[in-house]
RNA sequence: GCCGGGAUGGCGGAACUGGUAGACGCGGCGGACUCAAAAUCCGUUGGUGGUGACACCGUGUGGGUUCAAGUCCCUCUCCCGGCACCA
């Protein structure tokens, strides 16, 4: 295209974006209406926590969703793209402590600011369905469903272990425990047992695992993470009957139950071990002060499981014994710190010869080791001491009496059958998944709807008294839950007996709030029900987009909650999210200096420049003082590393379209995205180029429609590229979700367009069509500039109401093709042949090529492989 | 430790089903415009050799399958993510 840069209007993103946004707002463009005659598309990005300002991760997340939503809209779907606020949670309480404002006020201010930011980025959101989880109209349904689950036995109360800060007299979340100390007080954190409510997610473990296979449009990685988290194990539950000593200590008959996946090694069990919290440990500790001290010590240890895993194995005998269910031998019962109360029965049979942990423990305490599995090398075939490391693989049984000579499965089957006959065991499945503890000793959350009565105990709040409203004017000071000091909240009457009673002050885990918000968007204004019949139309979510950090908990809880609501007859839905896209993190450079006191000072990348280091390389220096700083490579944008980029700055200077284009172009959506100021400039440059291309073309006067018969070779070639690009972009956006390659293809097209002839009417017609299609193709990604350019190209309506274009099949047809010719697999030439050429013709043309002949060099041709339309390989 | 993913120019990345490695962008280099700079535009840019046509080498390592391997199989190294005493 000839350069017509004179007198063309400048690209002013602020003006263009304001105009487009007010058009959409004036026309209520994104309001979604139920219409069963139309195919719906529910596009949802994970709702944000209202932390104060959007960060780049949000921009990336919501841009991906908006591109998909706008594309689906152009394909004719009835699109719903809602937005809400995950508004309860700890940061609001921290901000309250730091600034002395109530969490509610802080949260609502943040929501107002971030809503404006989302609007300034041009996301096509139906704001009429906006919700915040801290609204009583929303969280009353958390309470209502909690009561339904309580009725069904899917919510129950038991004691749970929490981190307790003894100075602040408060419960700490795991992330508030740093090196075993409270983050504010520095006091040593204790474990505390307190009553908590649990949701019986384990009752759904089997179906949550099995249904993962139906989620074919979820990333394999996420399904695997969930499968590992649920952790299904097939094994045998075995009872070791108490001997006289144990019966006496417990004061009853009975047996120690264990779970094992290695019932084939039962004859190698030489002792049993129980967790410190196990009833047998408690019973034995009553008469043994040193054991009581050890049990206490184990209980006090860190709640963090990572620390537990690396701790040295320690234990102490209980002095009690149990009877081996097959051999009748007396086995000693130990308390061991490596046995978890929360898995299986909280007790294990120990087979040191075939389990590394038991081996380490038995070696340390001199316990017997008995080999019952022969390894392939035979090393475990006899009972020579000292024993070498445990052989934990499957193998053939030995030293097991009637069970000798069996492979793993045969041995498990035979031993399980023998145990079952004696009533001392049965096969069963064990899951790693634990029930979901939802109580939080926190203020800023959904109040748990329970009333404590001195006479009646814990009484559910009747439905007609819902919601239990959280007072919004509390200002937490760090010393426990402020609700405990609110007499107006605490005081109530028992629904059963009418006497004065106290309200529960615990609130719900915020994962409860986010486990069903996607359902509420479909009936956001329903005051009388949690969800209504509109859920049937909109659900499931067709495309869900969010961070990989939610791969396990949020997605698993949401799947569980959906099934619970299904079983209550509230929805007809097994799985809430049909397709899932997990976007990668946004990274930026990390620069720092170690200060004299050993502390590390981080510098924002904008404060750092590059200098010649005098040795042929580059050194990083702080612009302010010219002195070197160290580079810490790329890392997630975070406050602590001082490497964040404020999206608002970008929107205010280069515009929302540049921000959107950069995040979509620089990396595929699932990968990490490395921030680059030069890359942002590149995105802005491309928008200016397309702006100029359109205005330059239009300045040349009007253009008629393309008449295919009038096109010469060059015009046909250009037009073919236009329609090939359209086909590729359609596929990249809808199927592959590789927005980066879609944009690259459009960039290539624009490069070709800038080189094209634009004088003859036929040329202008081809360019007009090309620019129209280019603007249509880019409109989901950079909607504002395309909104304007569509009108500049001579169209009256808004581009948002245009259908997604289809490539013209006739334009895609080529008369000739370039074929690559290889000799022995190396490219030696190219020949142009008619598209319809036969294989024999292609072969002849390839062999006739000069350079090909040079490399064949008269040698006998052994074989010629012809890949139609692509390449010929001559083997000599 | 177990499970999963990855390694391609100076950088981000492309190559989708085994068929032209390095699309597109950034950066670099050369040029045009300018008093100059910025902006913009044009050209060039994996390495080595050659004036050149071109040749050789090249997708973390070593091997294999194939007419043909970044892509498939085996070995090793390093990176990243998840789980982490789950019996």
């Amino acid at each position: 295209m000839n350069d017509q840069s004179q007198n063309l209007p400048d690209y002013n993103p602020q003006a263009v974006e304001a105009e487009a946004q007010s058009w959409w707002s004036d026309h209520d463009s994104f309001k979604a209406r139920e219409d069963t005659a139309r195919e719906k598309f529910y596009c949802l990005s994970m709702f944000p926590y209202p932390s104060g300002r959007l960060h780049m991760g949000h921009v990336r997340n919501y841009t991906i969703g908006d591109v998909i939503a706008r594309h689906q809209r152009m394909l004719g779907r009835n699109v719903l793209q809602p937005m809400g606020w995950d508004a309860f949670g700890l940061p609001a309480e921290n901000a309250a402590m730091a600034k002395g404002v109530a969490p509610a006020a802080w949260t609502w201010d943040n929501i107002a600011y971030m809503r404006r930011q989302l609007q300034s980025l041009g996301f096509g959101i139906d704001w009429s369905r906006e919700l915040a989880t801290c609204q009583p109209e929303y969280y009353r349904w958390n309470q209502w469903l909690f009561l339904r689950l309580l009725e069904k036995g899917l919510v129950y109360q038991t004691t749970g272990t929490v981190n307790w800060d003894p100075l602040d007299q408060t419960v700490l979340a795991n992330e508030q425990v740093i090196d075993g100390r409270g983050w504010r007080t520095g006091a040593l954190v204790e474990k505390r047992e307190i009553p908590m409510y649990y949701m019986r997610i384990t009752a759904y473990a089997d179906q949550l695992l099995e249904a993962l296979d139906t989620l074919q449009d979820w990333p394999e990685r996420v399904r695997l993470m969930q499968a590992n988290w649920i952790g299904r194990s097939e094994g045998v539950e075995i009872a070791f009957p108490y001997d006289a000593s144990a019966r006496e200590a417990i004061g009853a008959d009975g047996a120690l139950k264990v779970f094992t996946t290695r019932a084939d090694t039962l004859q190698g069990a030489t002792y049993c071990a129980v967790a410190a919290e196990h009833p047998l440990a408690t019973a034995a500790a009553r008469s043994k002060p040193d054991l009581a001290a050890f049990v206490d010590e184990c209980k006090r240890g860190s709640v963090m499981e990572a620390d537990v895993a690396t701790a040295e194995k320690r234990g102490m005998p209980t002095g009690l014994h149990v009877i081996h269910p097959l051999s009748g031998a007396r086995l000693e019962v130990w308390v061991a710190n490596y046995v978890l109360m929360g898995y299986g029965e909280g007790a294990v049979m120990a087979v040191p010869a075939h389990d590394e942990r038991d081996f380490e423990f038995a070696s340390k305490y001199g316990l017997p080791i008995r080999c019952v599995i022969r390894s392939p090398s035979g090393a475990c075939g006899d009972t020579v001491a000292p024993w070498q490391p445990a052989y934990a693989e499957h193998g053939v049984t030995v030293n097991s009496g009637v069970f000798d000579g069996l492979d793993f499965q045969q041995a498990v089957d035979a031993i399980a059958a023998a145990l079952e006959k004696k009533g001392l065991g049965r096969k069963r499945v064990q899951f790693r998944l634990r029930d979901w503890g939802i109580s939080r000793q926190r203020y800023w959350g959904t109040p748990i709807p329970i009333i404590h009565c001195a006479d009646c105990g814990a009484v559910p709040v009747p439905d007609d008294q819902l919601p239990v409203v959280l007072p919004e004017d509390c200002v937490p000071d760090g010393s426990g839950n402020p609700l405990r000091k609110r007499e107006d909240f605490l005081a109530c009457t028992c629904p059963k007996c009418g006497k004065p009673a106290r309200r529960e002050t615990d609130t719900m885990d915020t994962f409860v709030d986010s486990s069903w918000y996607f359902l509420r968007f479909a009936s956001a204004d329903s005051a009388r029900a949690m969800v209504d019949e509109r859920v049937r139309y909109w659900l499931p979510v067709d495309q869900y987009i969010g961070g990989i950090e939610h791969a396990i908990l949020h997605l698993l809880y949401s799947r569980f909650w959906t099934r619970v609501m299904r079983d209550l007859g509230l929805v007809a839905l097994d799985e809430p999210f049909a397709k899932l896209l997990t976007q990668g993190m946004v990274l930026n450079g990390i620069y720092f200096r170690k200060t004299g006191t050993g502390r590390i000072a981080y510098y924002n990348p904008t404060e750092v420049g590059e200098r010649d280091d005098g040795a042929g390389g580059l050194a990083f220096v702080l612009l302010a003082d010219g002195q070197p700083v160290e580079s810490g490579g790329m890392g997630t944008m975070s406050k602590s590393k001082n490497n964040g980029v404020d999206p608002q700055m970008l929107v205010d200077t280069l515009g929302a379209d540049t921000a959107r284009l950069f995040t979509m172009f620089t990396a595929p959506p699932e990968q990490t995205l490395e921030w680059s100021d030069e890359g942002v400039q590149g995105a802005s440059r491309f928008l200016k180029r397309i702006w100029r291309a359109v205005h330059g073309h239009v300045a040349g006067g009007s253009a008629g429609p393309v008449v295919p018969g009038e096109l010469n070779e060059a015009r046909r070639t250009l037009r073919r590229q236009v329609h090939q690009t359209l086909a590729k972009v359609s596929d990249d956006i809808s199927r592959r979700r590789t927005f980066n390659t879609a944009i690259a293809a459009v960039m290539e097209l624009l490069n070709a367009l800038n080189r094209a002839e634009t004088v003859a009417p036929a040329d202008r017609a081809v360019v007009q069509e090309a620019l129209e299609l280019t603007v249509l193709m880019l409109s989901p990604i950079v909607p504002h500039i395309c909104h304007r350019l569509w009108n500049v190209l001579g169209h009256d309506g808004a581009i948002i109401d245009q259908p997604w274009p289809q490539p013209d099949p006739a334009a895609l047809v080529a008369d000739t093709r370039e074929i690559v010719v290889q000799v022995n697999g190396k490219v030696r030439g190219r020949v142009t042949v008619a598209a319809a050429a036969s294989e024999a013709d292609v072969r002849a043309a390839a062999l006739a090529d000069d350079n090909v002949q040079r490399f064949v060099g008269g040698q006998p041709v052994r074989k010629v492989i012809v890949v139609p339309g692509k390449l010929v390989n001559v083997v000599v």
Side-chain angles (χ1 to χ4, degrees), chain A residues 777-848:
Chain A
M777 280 189 267
L778 285 176
S779 68
I781 299 165
V782 285
H784 308 91
I785 190 171
C786 292
H787 177 86
R788 169 71 72 83
L789 293 180
W790 183 247
N791 294 341
V792 171
L793 281 165
H795 298 279
D796 284 338
I799 195 169
I800 191 164
D801 296 323
Q802 288 297 310
W804 185 256
Q806 297 296 316
D808 176 0
L812 293 171
V813 176
D815 323 331
T816 60
R817 303 198 96 136
E818 190 179 61
I819 304 288
V820 168
V821 187
Q822 300 180 329
V823 179
N824 286 342
K826 291 194 173 178
V827 180
R828 298 302 183 187
R830 276 150 225 272
V831 292
T832 302
V833 299
S838 70
E839 197 170 311
D841 291 344
V842 171
R843 179 189 167 120
L847 286 168

Side-chain angles (χ1 to χ4, degrees), chain A residues 354-382:
Chain A
H354 305 295
D355 181 280
E356 281 171 32
R357 298 153 301 184
D358 297 343
F359 178 81
E360 192 188 327
F361 192 84
S363 303
K364 179 169 174 180
Y365 292 105
L367 294 162
I369 298 174
R370 180 180 152 83
C371 177
V372 292
I373 301 292
R374 181 166 41 229
S375 75
S377 66
C380 212
D382 48 39

Side-chain angles (χ1 to χ4, degrees), chain A residues 131-242:
Chain A
L131 60 82
T133 57
C134 62
Q135 292 165 313
E137 302 78 40
Y138 183 83
Y139 66 69
R140 71 172 295 171
W141 301 111
N142 290 347
Q143 297 171 340
W144 183 82
L145 202 86
F146 172 93
L147 296 171
R148 299 292 82 73
L149 294 190
L150 196 63
E151 288 162 4
K152 290 190 76 175
L154 286 171
V155 162
Y156 63 94
Q157 196 188 33
T158 186
T159 58
T161 312
V162 294
N163 303 302
W164 180 258
D165 185 320
L167 273 184
D168 261 354
Q169 293 283 299
T170 194
V171 172
L172 300 176
N174 276 343
E175 61 269 23
Q176 295 175 321
V177 181
I178 296 156
D179 294 332
R181 290 171 181 276
W183 67 319
R184 278 162 50 83
T185 61
L188 272 177
V189 169
E190 300 171 3
K191 275 188 194 174
R192 264 218 179 172
E193 305 265 317
I194 58 168
M196 300 219 281
Y197 286 96
Y198 286 83
M199 290 204 178
R200 215 179 286 280
I201 190 172
T202 52
Y204 285 75
D206 235 333
Q207 51 174 299
L208 287 170
L209 181 67
E210 267 173 40
L212 285 175
D213 289 340
T214 69
L215 299 174
Q216 288 304 309
D217 291 317
W218 280 37
E220 179 72 27
R221 181 162 65 131
V222 174
R223 287 189 286 153
L224 264 162
M225 280 162 74
Q226 293 219 346
N228 290 339
W229 187 260
I230 295 168
R232 184 179 197 272
S233 296
E234 290 182 6
V236 180
E237 185 183 286
I238 303 176
F240 288 71
Y242 297 146

Side-chain angles (χ1 to χ4, degrees), chain A residues 403-416:
Chain A
F403 303 107
D404 271 1
L406 304 178
D407 70 18
F408 169 76
Q409 197 56 56
Q410 293 168 333
V412 169
D413 292 347
I415 287 172

